Amino acid sequence: MEEYKKVLKKREKLCLIFAIILLPVVIATCYLFFVMDSVLTGSIIAGFFGGMLNGIRAGFGLAALIVLSMRAFQYHKAVKDDNKMKKYYIEEYDERTIALNQLSSKISFNIILYTLLVVCVITGFINSTISLTLLAVSAFIILCKAIIYTIYSKKI
Amino acid sequence: MKNNIKNNIKVLRKEHKLSQEELAMAVKTTRQTITSIEVGKYAASLPLAYKIAKYFGKTIEEVFDFSEMEDI
């Protein structure tokens, strides 16, 4: 449990560091969204899409900031409370949860790869650039899997 | 996704007057995992099976029934 305590402390620090880094970015995007938006826009369509993009950026930034702060607070509380820390440890290292994550990742990977390959073939008839890009992405995914598989086959 | 490994965890749990949550905490797993093992939806790993058996003071074979497991 002492090792896990160290891990939680490290995570708390990382969350705080990322939150501090993110804070000026969020302030800047919010400023762009609320103040600069009307200045930057030339037409209604450009204004709409510009505003939408700024809104998405500000929203995601703000959400990430809130999640990071909450996580840091959770870890801080868990480090001080042994029962809470034990609960987090059990939830994190529960073998069924790990098995579920592995299974869902495996299935998602296969779905993504086969969809990419099918779309790659279909777009080949319409636009060769898109098709080649998708082919390159598929090849990269397959290459990554092959490399990781080789590394782990030597480890296990 | 049923597996062919039956077990008598539920019976042992009742004998020891334990809830799923209490057993889960004792063997450092979640209540959901114990539920899934009891109903046969999930096959426990060897370390977890050993922990459960040890907790009840039994051997793995006394807790888990491998007789219906398919031969390869």
Side-chain angles (χ1 to χ4, degrees), chain A residues 23-142:
Chain A
L23 189 67
V25 180
V26 171
I27 292 168
T29 46
C30 285
Y31 178 75
L32 268 175
F33 183 62
F34 291 111
V35 184
M36 294 291 284
D37 197 31
S38 55
V39 182
L40 289 171
T41 54
S43 66
I44 296 169
I45 298 166
F48 173 76
F49 284 109
M52 194 175 77
L53 275 174
N54 274 338
I56 289 168
R57 265 186 237 132
F60 274 114
L62 210 59
L65 194 67
I66 291 166
V67 169
L68 283 170
S69 311
M70 274 171 66
R71 283 273 174 203
F73 182 66
Q74 271 180 342
Y75 293 142
H76 184 74
K77 270 177 87 180
V79 167
K80 287 186 175 176
D81 187 350
D82 279 351
N83 283 331
K84 213 162 238 174
M85 191 165 71
K86 197 181 172 189
K87 198 185 150 204
Y88 281 139
Y89 179 85
I90 288 169
E91 276 173 10
E92 200 173 320
Y93 292 99
D94 175 48
E95 61 173 55
R96 182 175 159 269
T97 313
I98 294 168
L100 281 172
N101 278 330
Q102 283 173 345
L103 193 67
S104 56
S105 301
K106 195 177 114 186
I107 294 167
S108 310
F109 175 84
N110 286 334
I111 291 170
I112 290 166
L113 187 62
Y114 289 116
T115 311
L116 269 175
L117 289 171
V118 169
V119 176
C120 171
V121 172
I122 294 166
T123 50
F125 295 105
I126 307 157
N127 189 325
S128 60
T129 314
I130 296 170
S131 181
L132 282 171
T133 310
L134 291 176
L135 190 68
V137 171
S138 309
F140 179 71
I141 291 172
I142 293 166

Side-chain angles (χ1 to χ4, degrees), chain B:
Chain B
M1 283 203 295
K2 287 246 174 189
N3 65 70
N4 293 323
I5 307 163
K6 286 183 177 173
N7 64 74
N8 50 11
I9 294 173
K10 197 173 182 176
V11 179
L12 288 165
R13 205 166 45 76
K14 297 270 181 219
E15 277 175 15
H16 287 75
K17 289 176 182 156
L18 278 170
S19 66
Q20 286 181 334
E21 187 76 50
E22 285 164 333
L23 177 62
M25 287 300 277
V27 295
K28 287 189 177 134
T29 190
T30 57
R31 186 190 55 77
Q32 288 90 336
T33 304
I34 297 294
T35 311
S36 295
I37 295 168
E38 274 187 12
V39 297
K41 277 186 183 174
Y42 175 72
S45 68
L46 188 58
L48 183 60
Y50 174 73
K51 272 188 203 170
I52 293 168
K54 198 183 170 191
Y55 183 78
F56 289 121
K58 306 223 175 244
T59 60
I60 291 176
E61 288 90 341
E62 282 171 324
V63 180
F64 295 90
D65 178 15
F66 300 96
S67 60
E68 285 181 33
M69 218 171 86
E70 282 171 32
D71 290 325
I72 299 165

